[in-house]
Amino acid sequence: MITRTALRMAVVGLATAALGAGFAAPSQADSAGARDIDWSNATLEMIKGDARCPGGPVTFVEGIGKVETGATRPSTYVQDSVEFGDVDRDGREDAVLMVTCYRLGNPRIGVPAVYAFGVADGAPKQIGVVTPPTVYPSSYSVSGGAVTVNARAVDSPDAEPVKFKLRWNGTAFTERTGKEAYLYDWGSEPLALPFKAAQVPLRPRSDGRPDKSCPKATVDFEDGGMFYRTGEYTSPDGIVYAVRAANFGDVNRDGRSDVVVTLTCGDRDNMIETQSSWAYLYTVKNGKPVPLSYLTTTTWLDGYTDIHDVKLSRGKVELDQYAGTSDTSVDRSFRWTRKGLKAAQPLPGFPNVDVAP
């Protein structure tokens, strides 16, 4: 007859044997959390900033990592503070930190990005990029699964700070307060040119060769290396396309940030003479650029009409525009209407400069 004590001891012995055979206790690596990682001395996966900030795995020592790029000096990656919180909502804490790449070690040329990392098998594993190098963060925090980032749109201490709130959607961090236009990678994403005409005339040549036009197309730009907001592409037939995004504000009063996007075309064989440029007002919704209105032509067919000192505010765009030469600049104002932007006054000598191509 088996006593209760003997039976209990037998069950315990079987459970112990099973645990040893197929149910090993979690290893230290499996149970390591974000706070157990020495982030300042870890190897972290970085995104590519440009040719001098190539990204890839970077090994840090006391918060600093150096990467050889084939230049005379290495580029330097520098960590900022680490914040903790469950950003991917898997029940475990993650780490959020900013890393800035200084091109060739130059402290004046920084390419910053805020990252989120989890832990897998006891080592850091990148979850995603919270904010790309389009903005310059000054602080960041984690609360309730969301990451709040305070940043400047340009690398200037005088730039007005912008507050972003981002959440992980399973594949990327998405901005939840209508400020996607600041974070969009204008320089390396495909863009369907919003031209009305299938072919838009370029400025005429003076060398006797045939004039060319700019075909309407969807252009897959390659990053121009300036704040992730410039890009360029050359078509097989020698047409050079360029994009630049700058100047932000909620012009149409919908609570979402808008941006002035300048599109440029030119003949590769004679860019100086043929280059033509047009400025549009865009926004970004659900990760996609959306054209809102035409603004003006910044390089007219027969004159110089570039814009500068552009200011966006609720219901209005204000700017200075050259009237044919860089010696004559005119203050101009465009107000938002149901049909888009409308100029308060024409540009002297250029009555059609505000007509979309």
Side-chain angles (χ1 to χ4, degrees):
M1 180 176 181
I2 301 176
T3 65
R4 290 184 179 181
T5 301
L7 180 61
R8 184 166 59 249
M9 293 301 294
V11 171
V12 170
L14 289 172
T16 302
L19 181 63
F23 300 95
S27 68
Q28 184 176 359
D30 291 335
S31 60
R35 294 180 186 266
D36 299 315
I37 300 294
D38 182 2
W39 295 98
S40 63
N41 292 288
T43 298
L44 306 178
E45 187 71 24
M46 302 283 98
I47 61 170
K48 179 181 178 180
D50 57 20
R52 300 306 183 192
C53 294
V58 175
T59 299
F60 290 86
V61 177
E62 299 300 323
I64 297 175
K66 294 184 181 295
V67 175
E68 297 291 342
T69 64
T72 55
R73 292 178 297 172
S75 290
T76 305
Y77 288 77
V78 179
Q79 293 185 17
D80 210 294
S81 61
V82 182
E83 301 293 328
F84 296 98
D86 183 9
V87 298
D88 59 2
R89 299 185 296 282
D90 67 350
R92 302 181 66 190
E93 273 194 324
D94 308 303
V96 173
L97 68 154
M98 183 172 74
V99 179
T100 301
C101 172
Y102 292 99
R103 302 170 186 171
L104 306 183
N106 187 338
R108 296 182 179 180
I109 309 177
V111 181
V114 176
Y115 297 84
F117 291 93
V119 180
D121 298 325
K125 181 180 180 181
Q126 188 194 109
I127 297 172
V129 178
V130 182
T131 57
T134 52
V135 295
Y136 294 80
S138 57
S139 65
Y140 44 93
S141 60
V142 184
S143 178
V147 183
T148 299
V149 179
N150 294 296
R152 304 182 306 273
V154 295
D155 190 15
S156 169
D158 299 326
E160 183 178 353
V162 181
K163 186 176 182 179
F164 302 92
K165 189 172 184 178
L166 305 105
R167 286 187 179 274
W168 179 249
N169 67 4
T171 57
F173 282 93
T174 58
E175 213 289 317
R176 307 301 290 268
T177 62
K179 302 183 183 72
E180 289 181 83
Y182 287 93
L183 304 176
Y184 186 73
D185 189 356
W186 294 93
S188 60
E189 295 290 341
L191 184 68
L193 302 185
F195 298 154
K196 294 179 179 179
Q199 300 280 341
V200 178
L202 296 177
R203 297 175 68 195
R205 306 171 66 117
S206 63
D207 57 8
R209 300 176 65 181
D211 295 333
K212 290 187 177 181
S213 59
C214 179
K216 182 178 181 178
T218 296
V219 181
D220 191 1
F221 291 104
E222 297 179 1
D223 180 47
M226 190 180 87
F227 316 121
Y228 275 53
R229 296 195 186 120
T230 66
E232 191 172 288
Y233 169 78
T234 302
S235 68
D237 58 349
I239 296 298
V240 179
Y241 296 86
V243 63
R244 179 177 183 269
N247 310 112
F248 297 84
D250 181 10
V251 177
N252 63 349
R253 308 185 188 91
D254 67 348
R256 188 178 295 273
S257 296
D258 310 318
V259 58
V260 173
V261 176
T262 301
L263 302 172
T264 299
C265 273
D267 183 351
R268 176 180 55 192
D269 296 332
N270 194 340
M271 281 294 294
I272 295 177
E273 281 194 312
T274 64
Q275 179 173 296
S276 303
S277 303
W278 309 270
Y280 291 81
L281 184 70
Y282 268 80
T283 192
V284 176
K285 294 182 180 179
N286 300 319
K288 302 294 183 182
V290 179
L292 298 177
S293 175
Y294 188 66
L295 179 57
T296 190
T297 307
T298 62
T299 304
W300 190 243
L301 293 177
D302 57 356
Y304 181 64
T305 56
D306 197 15
I307 59 177
H308 56 107
D309 294 335
V310 182
K311 298 179 178 64
L312 278 62
S313 58
R314 292 178 64 82
K316 187 167 51 176
V317 176
E318 296 175 294
L319 53 84
D320 287 347
Q321 189 166 19
Y322 294 111
T325 71
S326 58
D327 297 327
T328 305
S329 182
V330 178
D331 293 337
R332 304 194 68 204
S333 177
F334 299 76
R335 62 183 179 85
W336 181 258
T337 71
R338 292 182 179 180
K339 295 183 179 181
L341 291 168
K342 183 178 181 179
Q345 67 285 329
L347 182 66
F350 297 89
N352 296 319
V353 75
D354 303 326
V355 178

